[in-house]
Amino acid sequence: MVEHHPSSNPILPPAIIGVVGGGQLGRMLALAARTMGYRVRALCPDLDPPVAAAAEVVRAAYDDEAAVATFLEGLEVLTWEFENVPAALAAAAEARGIPVRPAGRVLQVTQDRLREKRFLQAAGLPLPLWQAVDSLSALETGLRLVGRPAVLKTAAFGYDGKGQVKIDAATEAAAAWQAIGGQPAVLEAFVPFVLELSVVAARGLHGEFVHWGAIENRHKDHILDLSVAPARVSPALAWDAVALARRVLEALDVVGVLCVELFVTADGQLLINELAPRTHNSGHLTIEASPTSQFAQQIRAICGLPLGDSRIRGGAAMANLLGDCWADGEPDWAAALAVPGVTLHLYDKHEARPGRKMGHLTAVAATADEALRRVVAAREGLR
Ligand code: AMP
């Protein structure tokens, strides 16, 4: 639901902010909110989730109506750190007069790849070639239109490369269709990108727009590995990326933070990969590198407060710490922290499974190159 007449009264501390989800994004969001004197209540099905460090947790399934009612009691605003939840949750909050920011419609569009593609296409935004696929024969037709290599992605509930299969010259369409469980999907041309960028941006209650510029991202096994800011691209390309992000936030009427993930092609074209209607892993470096982190900005935006300065000071880089870092025992934190400009974040996750995001390191420096060098050295020092 779009708020046509948002109250101009900001939501002030010690109001209770509701957060749907309990992972590291919720944790860092709750820490930022607590710093400002807000109270935070999170809804999350997990035992002892990362958000518990800074929030009261209602432990329940997202579709548990009675628990949702308890969770919503007394909230002054509701936001998200995890968007793959039933639409009924946003509707329940809206029905109680609790502002949902970003609104339920933003989630509705972004939690389904088909809806997201259709929305972006209708808004005239640049996308890789794609086709909707709902059967094996539609996949075969789609492959003729999109060409090979291609990537088949389930429409629902995908992140970090989950529910995706690459289709090469030799891949049987039937095998790919089976690999994603024969669900409604999006078939995309495989983009031979030279670089991946993200733009994390925020929009206030009255349409104010701020951003942290283009951030450069490197993935490993579909999971973000390293982010660097400012992205080492031409000012014109960075500007174009931010302009695309602005069009997305405005078209979706976002109040809060949203991240646009982009591919840069060899000829310098920008294509939108996907949207995340929340704070984003690539924006973690804003905690150290900007006067206003993505988390503090999210709180300001959803509470109707003025947005903060979002410059990146000098250069910054972030390295994710996956469960794999624990393969040979406890990492050597002291060695990592001996590298100048490095900060450690751990999310209080108890089981270090391979591929699980356990924490991250951020390095700040005078330049992006130096920050990247530092963060890589710090992560290598862990072993
Ligand atoms: P996603 O979960 O869709 O963000 O995909 C995760 C990562 O897989 C992206 O950041 C890319 O590195 C890679 N990827 C996804 N889709 C494509 C594509 N169409 N072409 C090339 N690489 C892709």
Side-chain angles (χ1 to χ4, degrees):
M1 196 161 78
V2 177
E3 289 172 71
H4 292 291
H5 302 289
S7 155
S8 52
N9 291 335
I11 296 162
L12 296 171
I16 311 176
I17 297 173
V19 177
V20 179
Q24 61 271 15
L25 300 176
R27 174 191 177 89
M28 291 181 270
L29 185 68
L31 288 168
R34 295 291 299 129
T35 299
M36 295 167 75
Y38 290 98
R39 289 173 292 162
V40 181
R41 187 184 302 147
L43 178 66
C44 173
D46 305 333
L47 183 66
D48 200 12
V51 76
E56 168 201 353
V57 180
V58 174
R59 185 179 171 219
Y62 300 116
D63 59 359
D64 177 337
E65 280 177 39
V68 165
T70 306
F71 166 65
L72 294 175
E73 189 61 47
L75 296 187
E76 293 199 36
V77 61
L78 179 69
T79 193
W80 315 88
E81 70 102 50
F82 176 69
E83 65 273 22
N84 288 324
V85 293
L89 216 171
E94 281 162 358
R96 283 171 171 77
I98 300 168
V100 178
R101 295 171 182 160
R105 179 179 126 70
V106 178
L107 296 193
Q108 204 243 351
V109 170
T110 54
Q111 69 183 199
D112 181 282
R113 286 189 196 274
L114 265 170
R115 278 199 290 265
E116 183 174 297
K117 294 272 193 229
R118 289 192 175 118
F119 166 81
L120 291 169
Q121 183 153 306
L125 289 154
L127 298 172
L129 261 180
W130 70 279
Q131 285 289 309
V133 163
D134 59 3
S135 66
L136 177 55
S137 73
L139 174 58
E140 283 162 347
T141 311
L143 280 168
R144 282 194 287 278
L145 293 163
V146 162
R148 291 172 185 246
V151 187
L152 184 64
K153 304 179 176 180
T154 57
F157 286 59
Y159 67 99
D160 287 347
K162 296 192 171 68
Q164 297 194 14
V165 56
K166 189 167 176 208
I167 301 181
D168 291 311
T171 312
E172 296 280 352
W177 181 237
Q178 207 180 5
I180 64 150
Q183 309 172 50
V186 169
L187 179 71
E188 274 176 34
F190 182 83
V191 180
F193 56 81
V194 292
L195 193 67
E196 290 187 84
L197 298 179
S198 57
V199 177
V200 181
R203 201 160 159 271
L205 202 49
H206 309 289
E208 322 87 281
F209 176 81
V210 299
H211 61 86
W212 289 267
I215 299 172
E216 191 182 324
N217 299 316
R218 288 193 213 155
H219 291 79
K220 212 175 187 176
D221 302 328
H222 292 278
I223 302 175
L224 184 65
D225 184 45
L226 291 165
S227 293
V228 183
R232 294 161 299 169
V233 298
S234 71
L237 188 67
W239 175 257
D240 287 349
V242 168
L244 285 181
R246 182 169 195 151
R247 283 170 60 193
V248 171
L249 273 85
E250 286 178 353
L252 277 172
D253 197 20
V254 170
V255 175
V257 170
L258 182 140
C259 174
V260 181
E261 297 179 31
L262 299 151
F263 297 128
V264 184
T265 63
D267 57 357
Q269 228 194 318
L270 288 166
L271 299 172
I272 296 181
N273 172 26
E274 65 174 3
L275 310 180
R278 49 166 168 77
T279 57
H280 191 258
N281 196 166
S282 64
H284 291 356
L285 51 75
T286 60
I287 295 175
E288 286 82 15
S290 176
T292 315
S293 75
Q294 62 171 348
F295 303 102
Q297 201 75 282
Q298 169 93 348
I299 298 300
R300 287 172 176 244
I302 65 171
C303 291
L305 290 167
L307 299 185
D309 180 353
S310 61
R311 266 173 309 143
I312 297 282
R313 293 177 288 236
M318 186 278 322
N320 267 337
L321 302 175
L322 302 183
D324 313 61
C325 294
W326 277 254
D328 303 321
E330 192 64 17
D332 187 350
W333 305 122
L337 289 169
V339 179
V342 168
T343 310
L344 170 66
H345 295 256
L346 290 174
Y347 310 144
D348 273 344
K349 294 185 182 177
H350 306 302
E351 201 193 329
R353 290 191 297 270
R356 188 176 196 205
K357 291 175 181 172
M358 302 294 291
H360 70 270
L361 296 168
T362 303
V364 293
T367 64
D369 287 326
E370 176 59 13
L372 177 59
R373 203 191 58 72
R374 287 179 175 184
V375 91
V376 167
R379 192 168 58 179
E380 278 169 3
L382 295 175
R383 287 191 261 118

